[in-house]
Amino acid sequence: MNRPKNVTQLSTETFDICIIGGGASGAGCALDAALRGYKVALIDRKDFASETSSRSTKLIHGGVRYLEQAFMKLDLGQLKQVRHGLEERRIVLKNAPHLAHPLALLTPVFSWFEGLYYGIGLKIYDWFANDSTLPKGKWLTKKEVLKRMPTLRKETLHSAVLYYDGQLDDARYCLALAQSASEKGVVVANYVEVTGFVKNEDSQLSSALVTDTLSDQSFAIQSRIFINCTGTFADTIRHMANPKLPVRMRPSKGVHVVLPFETLNSTDAMLIPKTSDGRVVFAIPFEGKLLVGTTDTEYKNPELEPILIEEEVDFLLETLRPYVKKLPERQDVQAGFGGLRPLLAADPTKSTKRLTRDHEVEHDDVSNLVSLLGGKWTTYRLMAKDTLDKVDELFGENKACLTADYPLAGSIGYEPEAWKLIKEQTALSEETCRQINGRYGSRYPEIITLITQNPDLAQRLVPAYPYLWAEVIYAVQHEMAVSPRDILARRLRLEITDWQATLQCLPVVCDLMEKELNWSSETREKMEKTYAEQLQVYCKSAGLL
C-alpha cells in the first residue's frame, strides 16, 4: 500500500471501476471487484474506516432486536435482515479469525417469566442461524451467572440467558479488506476527496474530479463506472452526479462509553434488553476495557463529527444501574465514541429506532452512478456482492463472487497460539505477544523484524498498554497511516479506549512519524497540537473535564 505510487496511478490510468468510500462496504466492493477480474480504484476522503466503520459496537450479529420486532410486528423486512446477518456472521468469523471471534453474551433476567421469554427468543435466534460453528445458547441459573459475571447485582437477579454472536475489531477488519484488495491489484489511496464529476455527451460520468488533501494536488480519475460507498454521506455524491435525485439517507447517531474492565469483570458480554428509549444496549469487553452502548438519535448534520455528550454518558450509566452492584460514576469513564448509522429514509414517519439496517443498490440511469445505500457491518460482504452483481449486469458480464471463501490479509497461516513463538523470539510480555498475534495474524513476523533491526522499537508507547513503537513504524510503512489519529484511533485502538493515555503517548507517536514521513518541524507541531485539541474537546463534551 504505497500511497505516493498509488496516487500517481490514480491520476494517469483508466479504471473499470472507481469506488468512492473506504469503509467496510467500499473496501468489500473493491476486493469483490478485483477477484472478478476488474481494474479497480478505491479512494476515501479521509482514512479507511474513519467514519461509521470504526465506530460500531464491534459485534457480528443478526440482530436480536430485529428478530423481536419481526415477530411482534410481523415485519418480514426485519426477518430478512436477521437471516442475512446470521448467514454472513459465519463468513466474517471464518475469513479473518485473528480479527473476529465468537463472543458469549448474557441476558440477565429478573423473573422466571422473563427468562422463559428471552430463552425462547434466543433459541429461535440459534435455530434461525443454523450455524454449527458457534456453541448453542442456554438458560443459566443465578449461581452459574454470578460465576461468569461476578459484579452483577445479586438481590434482584433471577437467572440469565446465554447465547453467542461474533465480535470483531472493526477498523482493522476494514483495513484487512483494503490490504487484501490492494494485494489483488486495486489502486488504493486514503485522503483523496471527490469534488465533482466530468460527464460525457450522454450526461454519464466519465471521470471524478478529486483532490489529494495531503498535497493539495487536484486531478481526475477516469473510470467506466463509479460506485458510491460513502455511507451517511451517500447523498452528497449522488447529488454531485445528479442533483435531481431524491434524498435517501437518514443518519442516526449512536454512542458508546468506555469503562474499566472490572465493571463486569468478565470476558462475556451483556445484553440489556430493555432501555428507557426502547432499544437494547450491549456491554462488551474490548481491548481490556468495557464498551457500553449504543444510543439511537436522529442526526441532522453528518458533516459534524458525532461526539459523546454528557447526557449520553448519564443515560448509558443509568442503563447499567439495575444490573451491577456498584454503578460506575462519570469519572470512571475513560473514553467514548460516536458513530452514524447510514439508515435509509424509506418512511420519514418512522423513528430511526424502527428503521431496518437492510441495504439497497441504486443505479441512476441518468448519470450511471451506482450507489450502495444502508446496510451494516455484518452484511458488508453480501452488500458488496449485490453491488458487483449489478455492475456485472451493466457491463454485460456474469462473473462469480469469490469473497465467501477468500481469507483476508493476515489470516493465511494464522495460529491462535503463535503468541508463544513471539514470546520465545522476543523479551516482550505475554500480553503484548497476544495482542500482536491478534492484530497482525500471520504477518506478525514483520513486527518482530522491525524490533530485531532496532531494539528501541520494543518500547511501549505508554506503560499501561501493550502498544509498541514498532507498530507506529509498521503502520506508516505498510498500512498507509499518515496522521497520528490514523494510528491511535484505527491501527491501534487507544483513542477509543483511553483518552488520557492517548494524550500521554501522542508526542512519542509524532516523533516516530516525523522521522518516518520526513515531516518538517512545523508539520509535526501542527499534527500534535490539532489532535491534542481534538481530544480535549471530546473530554469536555463528555463532562470529563
Side-chain angles (χ1 to χ4, degrees):
M1 293 174 68
N2 183 317
R3 190 177 183 280
K5 177 189 171 199
N6 288 6
V7 170
T8 299
Q9 284 183 264
L10 290 174
S11 64
T12 57
E13 299 180 8
T14 299
F15 299 89
D16 295 319
I17 301 170
C18 177
I19 298 163
I20 305 165
S25 60
C29 281
L31 179 59
D32 193 333
L35 293 175
R36 295 188 195 214
Y38 291 116
K39 184 174 181 180
V40 186
L42 172 66
I43 59 173
D44 194 287
R45 67 173 183 167
K46 294 182 181 176
D47 187 29
F48 309 111
S50 60
E51 301 287 352
T52 302
S53 293
S54 64
R55 303 177 187 190
S56 75
T57 309
K58 325 303 178 200
L59 283 177
I60 315 158
H61 63 128
V64 291
R65 177 168 67 96
Y66 305 133
L67 183 66
E68 183 179 35
Q69 289 181 12
F71 281 100
M72 296 290 286
K73 301 179 184 298
L74 299 178
D75 187 337
L76 293 179
Q78 298 278 17
L79 201 61
K80 175 185 169 188
Q81 179 66 17
V82 175
R83 180 172 60 81
H84 285 164
L86 291 172
E87 287 171 353
E88 292 299 310
R89 181 183 68 181
R90 177 183 57 80
I91 297 172
V92 174
L93 290 167
K94 171 175 65 77
N95 286 353
H98 59 304
L99 298 172
H101 57 86
L103 178 70
L105 293 101
L106 297 176
T107 304
V109 295
F110 303 116
S111 70
W112 178 88
F113 177 77
E114 271 193 345
L116 182 64
Y117 177 78
Y118 292 118
I120 291 172
L122 291 167
K123 282 286 186 187
I124 294 171
Y125 189 69
D126 272 348
W127 170 79
F128 212 51
N130 191 26
D131 184 355
S132 61
T133 63
L134 293 183
K136 298 300 180 186
K138 57 184 176 179
W139 195 351
L140 302 179
T141 66
K142 180 176 180 176
K143 183 178 180 181
E144 290 172 323
V145 177
L146 291 173
K147 187 175 181 181
R148 298 180 72 118
M149 200 171 280
T151 62
L152 292 184
R153 184 180 288 183
K154 299 178 184 178
E155 298 78 16
T156 53
L157 180 70
H158 176 273
S159 54
V161 178
L162 168 69
Y163 76 104
Y164 288 83
D165 258 326
Q167 182 176 27
L168 83 168
D169 183 332
D170 50 6
R172 289 208 64 89
Y173 204 106
C174 183
L175 178 66
L177 287 167
Q179 287 177 309
S180 300
S182 175
E183 288 162 15
K184 292 302 294 183
V186 176
V187 179
V188 176
N190 50 4
Y191 296 97
V192 174
E193 181 174 9
V194 175
T195 57
F197 290 104
V198 175
K199 300 178 181 180
N200 61 22
E201 61 275 10
D202 297 321
S203 297
Q204 298 201 326
L205 308 182
S206 60
S207 60
L209 302 175
V210 303
T211 298
D212 176 353
T213 59
L214 300 185
S215 67
D216 212 28
Q217 172 193 4
S218 295
F219 55 91
I221 300 175
Q222 298 182 57
S223 182
R224 293 169 62 195
I225 205 164
F226 292 87
I227 302 178
N228 173 18
C229 292
T230 55
T232 54
F233 306 99
D235 283 336
T236 301
I237 299 298
R238 292 171 69 245
H239 292 149
M240 279 185 192
N242 182 357
K244 295 182 180 179
L245 289 172
V247 171
R248 294 299 312 278
M249 303 313 299
R250 193 173 167 199
S252 162
K253 179 187 179 185
V255 301
H256 297 76
V257 297
V258 177
L259 297 168
F261 178 84
E262 292 73 24
T263 306
L264 289 185
N265 198 27
S266 175
T267 55
D268 296 341
M270 179 169 67
L271 165 64
I272 297 175
K274 292 180 182 177
T275 66
S276 60
D277 71 341
R279 58 177 291 110
V280 302
V281 162
F282 294 95
I284 297 177
F286 182 75
E287 294 283 311
K289 303 292 181 179
L290 185 74
L291 301 185
V292 181
T294 178
T295 57
D296 192 330
T297 53
E298 193 150 10
Y299 201 71
K300 297 293 187 182
N301 190 352
E303 292 296 332
L304 293 177
E305 181 181 354
I307 62 176
L308 187 65
I309 61 175
E310 289 185 47
E311 294 84 351
E312 293 163 334
V313 173
D314 293 341
F315 169 78
L316 290 171
L317 292 180
E318 193 62 29
T319 298
L320 272 180
R321 182 180 296 277
Y323 296 89
V324 293
K325 284 188 289 190
K326 183 179 183 300
L327 183 69
E329 303 294 335
R330 188 184 292 174
Q331 61 264 27
D332 296 318
V333 174
Q334 296 180 319
F337 57 95
L340 297 179
R341 301 175 187 87
L343 301 178
L344 287 172
D347 184 352
T349 65
K350 283 187 178 181
S351 75
T352 53
K353 291 187 287 291
R354 302 300 176 214
L355 296 177
T356 74
R357 298 296 300 277
D358 212 348
H359 65 276
E360 178 184 322
V361 179
E362 174 193 77
H363 175 240
D364 175 34
D365 291 332
V366 174
S367 67
N368 203 33
L369 178 71
V370 174
S371 294
L372 175 51
L373 307 174
K376 65 175 188 174
W377 235 117
T378 304
T379 55
Y380 85 87
R381 193 204 65 85
L382 176 63
M383 292 157 59
K385 176 185 181 300
D386 289 349
T387 306
L388 268 297
D389 285 349
K390 181 62 180 180
V391 171
D392 272 359
E393 178 188 320
L394 294 171
F395 283 161
E397 301 279 2
N398 185 20
K399 300 187 177 187
C401 175
L402 304 176
T403 52
D405 298 306
Y406 191 81
L408 300 183
S411 63
I412 298 175
Y414 166 69
E415 291 291 343
E417 297 299 303
W419 66 268
K420 295 176 181 176
L421 294 176
I422 300 173
K423 198 167 189 318
E424 287 176 9
Q425 297 170 28
T426 67
L428 300 173
S429 69
E430 178 178 327
E431 179 189 23
T432 300
C433 295
R434 286 182 179 274
Q435 288 275 348
I436 288 173
N437 193 41
R439 262 194 297 282
Y440 306 101
S442 56
R443 301 191 174 188
Y444 76 82
E446 296 173 31
I447 299 292
I448 305 306
T449 298
L450 287 171
I451 293 171
T452 302
Q453 293 170 346
N454 182 358
D456 286 346
L457 298 181
Q459 295 180 72
R460 290 188 173 199
L461 293 174
V462 61
Y465 292 92
Y467 305 125
L468 306 181
W469 287 19
E471 295 182 85
V472 177
I473 304 302
Y474 184 80
V476 172
Q477 291 182 351
H478 300 285
E479 298 179 342
M480 213 176 274
V482 296
S483 78
R485 193 176 193 193
D486 293 347
I487 291 173
L488 291 169
R490 291 175 289 275
R491 307 304 185 273
L492 311 177
R493 307 313 306 273
L494 191 56
E495 182 195 297
I496 68 166
T497 55
D498 192 327
W499 285 334
Q500 292 305 319
T502 303
L503 277 168
Q504 184 182 343
C505 72
L506 180 56
V508 173
V509 172
C510 289
D511 286 345
L512 292 166
M513 296 187 77
E514 178 183 12
K515 293 174 185 174
E516 197 65 30
L517 290 168
N518 296 314
W519 284 345
S520 65
S521 57
E522 292 80 9
T523 297
R524 185 228 172 278
E525 183 181 349
K526 181 180 177 182
M527 285 286 189
E528 180 176 350
K529 183 172 183 288
T530 300
Y531 192 21
E533 289 173 350
Q534 225 170 358
L535 291 165
Q536 294 288 351
V537 168
Y538 300 156
C539 291
K540 186 174 181 181
S541 173
L544 304 182
L545 283 181

